[in-house]
Amino acid sequence: MSGTRLLLKGGRLVDPVAGRDGEFDLLVEDGRVARVGKLLPADGAEVFEVKRGWIVAPGLIDIHVHLREPGQEHKETIASGVRAAVAGGFTAVACMPNTDPVNDHPGITELIMRRAAAAALARVYPIGAVSIGSKGEQMAELGAQKAAGCVAFTDDGRPVASALLMRRALEYAGMLGVPIVNHCEDPSLKGDGVAHEGLVASRLGLRGIPGVAESIMVDRDVALAELTGGPYHVCHMSAYQSLRAVRAAKDRGMTNVSCEVAPHHFVLTDEALEAPVRYDTNLKMNPPLRGTADRDAMLDGIADGTVDVIATDHAPHHADEKLVEFDNAPFGIVGLETCVPLVFERLVHTGRITLARAIALLSANPARVFRLPGGTLAPDAAADITVLAPDAPVTIRAAALASKSKNTPFDGWQLRGGVAATIVGGRIVYRNEGL
């Protein structure tokens, strides 16, 4: 991607990687950062006036997104997914392989990349399947998938239940230099559960999923990552026991272990299932909303540096699929367009983390964990930029989301902190006309 010369003038530029936080102008040429400095001359460049109080940040990167294409285009397409991404401030997304057919073959990876190139909005990085059909039986051709463009491997939606398969995958991942990402969940402990195992599930008569169903697999995977040295990343962590396992691994120097947390797991608890709308299927996700101790552990992990990444687990579902009994509804909610205001409202404005830490969780760290370009606005970096309006009032309207699906529990929430503009490769691909 490339564009004409663009000068972002004014605003507060925050780049944790470059160690820069202050009033700077930023000049973009040919899709890359040309200069960062004070009072830079326009010299014929298009000028983007950054309002006082706005933040110029490295483009946000979401490493856990379901784009649903191929095979489930009634929920989302690659084109609608990247529209939602840029509206949410994300300049790049990594898409999960649980499409139909599963992305376990270079041909499917190439199709996703062609459709993403045609949409020409956010960058799209496909994630390949660990096993053929994500069945957990025979390993997919990881090398061929990486050559086609995959940046990581997972059977997300399905845990890699076989310890031997996980060991081999980590060994290959180490040689290929890409992470293995696991949806951690012991199938025998999860059973047919639909909500967090606890008092709320008992009161509502819902089958429970204990937190250890997640953490027992995190413990196993950390042990295998220690054995093999392969890069390992925990998907959408939700249980305090899982955080404890990751923290212990990091405390003993394991730099090959990382983890992510989704906004709904640091904002909500299972008590939301009881009020204001009981059995709201837009609160059904996997892993489930957990108890207060788990939610607070995620907040602590975000604040103390144990958590590496905030990822949305954007999982669109058609309205008709959610308009059923709680037991029968699919798991998942959309998240690309609600992430930034939730991060500002619950993490930054409360003083739980600094603005620089928030940007690292959403930009620099995802780039580091998945070894992607971006995450900084240093000279010659790709000009992927998110302009944030931290004090802007935001009311989430599900019907107005750019995503093809509207399954969010945050409809009607009034928050503070939004996206003013999204720039990819030096081109303005989204501008919030309401600001």
Side-chain angles (χ1 to χ4, degrees), residues 207-430:
R207 295 183 297 276
I209 306 171
V212 293
E214 176 182 289
S215 64
I216 197 170
M217 190 167 281
V218 174
D219 278 323
R220 180 205 70 174
D221 288 352
V222 167
L224 291 171
E226 191 163 28
L227 173 69
T228 63
Y232 169 67
H233 180 74
V234 185
C235 272
H236 43 45
M237 191 169 62
S238 67
Y240 73 87
Q241 302 99 323
S242 303
L243 183 80
R244 188 171 59 196
V246 170
R247 183 179 284 138
K250 293 189 172 190
D251 284 347
R252 61 179 187 269
M254 291 184 65
T255 57
N256 58 328
V257 172
S258 59
C259 67
E260 70 188 35
V261 172
H264 44 272
H265 285 128
F266 66 74
V267 171
L268 299 170
T269 69
D270 58 348
E271 292 178 357
L273 295 171
E274 294 191 293
V277 180
R278 285 163 69 90
Y279 303 106
D280 181 358
T281 57
N282 285 323
L283 293 163
K284 182 179 178 182
M285 57 274 290
N286 190 16
L289 296 177
R290 297 207 181 272
T292 302
D294 299 288
R295 190 272 313 276
D296 291 349
M298 297 306 110
L299 289 168
D300 290 343
I302 288 169
D304 70 16
T306 305
V307 172
D308 300 272
V309 171
I310 291 175
T312 69
D313 190 11
H314 176 81
H317 292 290
H318 192 274
D320 289 347
E321 296 168 310
K322 284 286 194 179
L323 284 173
V324 296
E325 297 84 358
F326 195 89
D327 279 354
N328 297 323
F331 293 99
I333 62 172
V334 293
L336 283 166
E337 296 166 82
T338 56
C339 178
V340 164
L342 290 170
V343 167
F344 271 118
E345 186 75 36
R346 293 302 174 93
L347 301 180
V348 179
H349 291 318
T350 58
R352 188 171 287 275
I353 62 174
T354 64
L355 177 63
R357 170 72 176 148
I359 291 171
L361 286 159
L362 290 164
S363 181
N365 290 3
R368 171 179 57 81
V369 169
F370 269 28
R371 306 177 189 194
L372 302 175
T376 180
L377 294 175
D380 202 38
D384 292 355
I385 304 162
T386 303
V387 182
L388 299 164
D391 295 316
V394 172
T395 300
I396 295 173
R397 301 291 185 199
L401 297 177
S403 173
K404 203 167 183 177
S405 294
K406 317 297 180 187
N407 49 308
T408 175
F410 303 114
D411 187 28
W413 280 41
Q414 295 181 335
L415 305 168
R416 185 162 58 106
V419 176
T422 307
I423 298 167
V424 177
R427 184 168 63 95
I428 301 171
V429 293
Y430 171 78

Side-chain angles (χ1 to χ4, degrees), residues 133-147:
S134 289
K135 295 178 179 177
E137 297 168 355
Q138 183 179 351
M139 190 182 299
E141 295 281 353
L142 304 191
Q145 289 187 82
K146 187 197 174 191

Side-chain angles (χ1 to χ4, degrees), residues 14-276:
V14 180
D15 182 351
V17 172
R20 186 172 280 126
D21 184 345
E23 302 284 334
F24 294 96
D25 297 340
L26 187 150
L27 179 65
V28 172
E29 291 181 346
D30 297 327
R32 308 195 75 81
V33 176
R35 290 182 64 191
V36 177
K38 304 277 189 182
L39 302 175
L40 297 181
D43 288 338
E46 178 187 357
V47 176
F48 183 106
E49 295 285 355
V50 181
K51 293 183 180 178
R52 180 170 293 279
W54 286 5
I55 307 296
V56 177
L60 309 187
I61 301 170
D62 190 345
I63 60 173
H64 194 142
V65 169
H66 299 267
L67 292 180
R68 303 301 192 200
E69 187 178 3
Q72 296 180 311
E73 288 84 353
H74 65 291
K75 299 171 187 270
E76 193 81 284
T77 64
I78 292 170
S80 66
V82 292
R83 278 198 300 275
V86 298
F90 291 96
T91 58
V93 297
C95 59
M96 289 292 168
N98 58 341
T99 48
D100 185 13
V102 170
N103 182 17
D104 60 2
H105 186 276
I108 300 168
T109 303
E110 290 163 0
L111 180 147
I112 292 169
M113 295 179 73
R114 284 198 303 275
R115 300 274 170 89
L121 290 171
R123 302 179 195 272
V124 174
Y125 298 107
I127 302 174
V130 169
S131 63
I132 294 175
S134 289
K135 295 178 179 177
E137 297 168 355
Q138 183 179 351
M139 190 182 299
E141 295 281 353
L142 304 191
Q145 289 187 82
K146 187 197 174 191
C150 288
V151 298
F153 297 100
T154 183
D155 282 347
D156 184 45
R158 297 180 180 180
V160 178
S162 163
L164 179 60
L165 179 62
M166 177 56 82
R167 174 182 179 169
R168 298 297 181 227
L170 285 165
E171 289 170 342
Y172 274 99
M175 291 185 282
L176 294 170
V178 295
I180 297 296
V181 182
N182 202 14
H183 170 116
C184 291
E185 180 182 82
D186 184 288
S188 64
L189 280 174
K190 181 201 173 190
D192 55 1
V194 295
H196 174 61
E197 183 178 283
L199 290 176
V200 172
S202 297
R203 284 196 291 263
L204 294 175
L206 298 173
R207 295 183 297 276
I209 306 171
V212 293
E214 176 182 289
S215 64
I216 197 170
M217 190 167 281
V218 174
D219 278 323
R220 180 205 70 174
D221 288 352
V222 167
L224 291 171
E226 191 163 28
L227 173 69
T228 63
Y232 169 67
H233 180 74
V234 185
C235 272
H236 43 45
M237 191 169 62
S238 67
Y240 73 87
Q241 302 99 323
S242 303
L243 183 80
R244 188 171 59 196
V246 170
R247 183 179 284 138
K250 293 189 172 190
D251 284 347
R252 61 179 187 269
M254 291 184 65
T255 57
N256 58 328
V257 172
S258 59
C259 67
E260 70 188 35
V261 172
H264 44 272
H265 285 128
F266 66 74
V267 171
L268 299 170
T269 69
D270 58 348
E271 292 178 357
L273 295 171
E274 294 191 293

